[in-house]
Amino acid sequence: MRQHEEEVRLIALVRAQVRAVVLREPSPAPGGASAPRGVFVTIERGGQVIGCRGTLAPRRRTLEEELLEAARSAALHDPRYGPRRPADLADFLVTITLVERLEPLREIAALTPEAGLVLTSGGRVGVVLPFEGRDARTRLRWAYQKAGVSFGASATLQRLIATRFRG
């Protein structure tokens, strides 16, 4: 299957899962057995994020199962936004972020918008996905906030390299 066809298939799967969990219908069948990897699913409506959840490392047997779980969690369990309602299904978009790898990041100034940021401090982790904000210093502040750690506390930084697509 070509890359574009695969992206269309995965977007359709995630959109169907968001609809199903919000409307309390059965989840769609995964419909594939791609190798598992870390994924994030972001739900947007009107240019605003209304849900985002995922993991840096796989927890399920297949990529499709990872995406179904991330979509369910983004729709129902993002503590920043609360559960989605049927009205949220009008004109919503999803972005899928597939984790490729993590690389050490020695200087925050070297962080580009195309890469995400992972901050680890005292067992806590804050993830800022690629293209979330443009300014590296702001993204660092967000990573500390997401980790629930005081800004400037000792932390390990990693660059998150990922593939993203939306629909």
Side-chain angles (χ1 to χ4, degrees), residues 3 8 12 14 28 33 50 60 64 69 71 73 78 89 96 105 107-108 111 121 127 133 142 161:
Q3 182 67 30
V8 169
V14 167
I50 58 173
R60 306 285 188 263
E64 292 80 3
E69 178 57 28
S73 189
D78 187 326
L89 298 177
I96 294 174
L105 180 64
E107 293 186 27
I108 193 64
L111 185 66
S121 179
V127 178
W142 291 350
I161 307 300

Side-chain angles (χ1 to χ4, degrees), residues 37-57:
R37 59 205 288 191
V39 301
F40 288 84
V41 169
T42 305
I43 306 169
E44 297 176 59
R45 183 163 183 248
Q48 298 294 313
V49 173
I50 58 173
C52 182
R53 302 294 280 174
T55 64
L56 291 169

Side-chain angles (χ1 to χ4, degrees), residues 49-108:
V49 173
I50 58 173
C52 182
R53 302 294 280 174
T55 64
L56 291 169
R59 297 180 181 171
R60 306 285 188 263
R61 293 177 302 145
T62 67
L63 172 62
E64 292 80 3
E65 290 175 9
E66 288 290 342
L67 287 169
L68 289 174
E69 178 57 28
R72 182 189 67 70
S73 189
L76 299 179
H77 301 293
D78 187 326
R80 298 168 294 179
Y81 306 105
R84 300 298 85 220
R85 299 178 312 271
D88 295 321
L89 298 177
D91 301 321
F92 77 98
L93 291 172
V94 296
T95 299
I96 294 174
T97 303
L98 302 176
V99 177
E100 300 290 336
R101 66 187 180 281
L102 298 175
E103 301 174 345
L105 180 64
R106 301 201 197 317
E107 293 186 27
I108 193 64

